[in-house]
């Protein structure tokens, strides 16, 4: 769900509050906010993907160790 819709649609995630959940966005800023919001709403196993999709792509493009 987009950050701006969390207050109106966050209840849609309640059935999944006991499942491990990874939140992501482009840079990790918005996903950190959403992860905090979900944690306060009772989601026990929620994490924000540090650095977001940009960091994941940068890591994916990096040469493998030992290669």
């Amino acid at each position: 769900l987009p950050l701006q819709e969390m207050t109106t649609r966050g209840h849609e995630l309640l059935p999944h509050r006991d499942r491990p959940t990874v939140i992501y966005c482009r840079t990790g800023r918005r996903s950190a906010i959403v992860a905090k919001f979900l944690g306060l709403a009772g989601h026990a196993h929620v994490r924000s993907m540090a650095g977001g999709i940009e960091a994941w792509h940068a890591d994916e493009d990096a040469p493998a160790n030992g290669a």
Side-chain angles (χ1 to χ4, degrees), residues 9-63:
R9 295 184 57 203
H11 67 279
E12 295 175 26
L13 301 174
L14 286 176
H16 309 287
R17 69 177 160 241
D18 294 324
R19 298 178 67 186
T21 306
V22 176
I23 309 298
Y24 63 92
C25 66
R26 186 174 57 88
T27 65
R29 280 184 40 209
R30 289 169 292 156
S31 63
I33 294 168
V34 171
K36 175 114 175 144
F37 177 86
L38 291 175
L40 292 172
H43 292 257
H45 309 286
V46 63
R47 300 289 183 264
S48 174
M49 188 168 81
I53 295 296
E54 286 184 353
W56 179 69
H57 277 292
D59 187 54
E60 187 177 73
D61 294 337

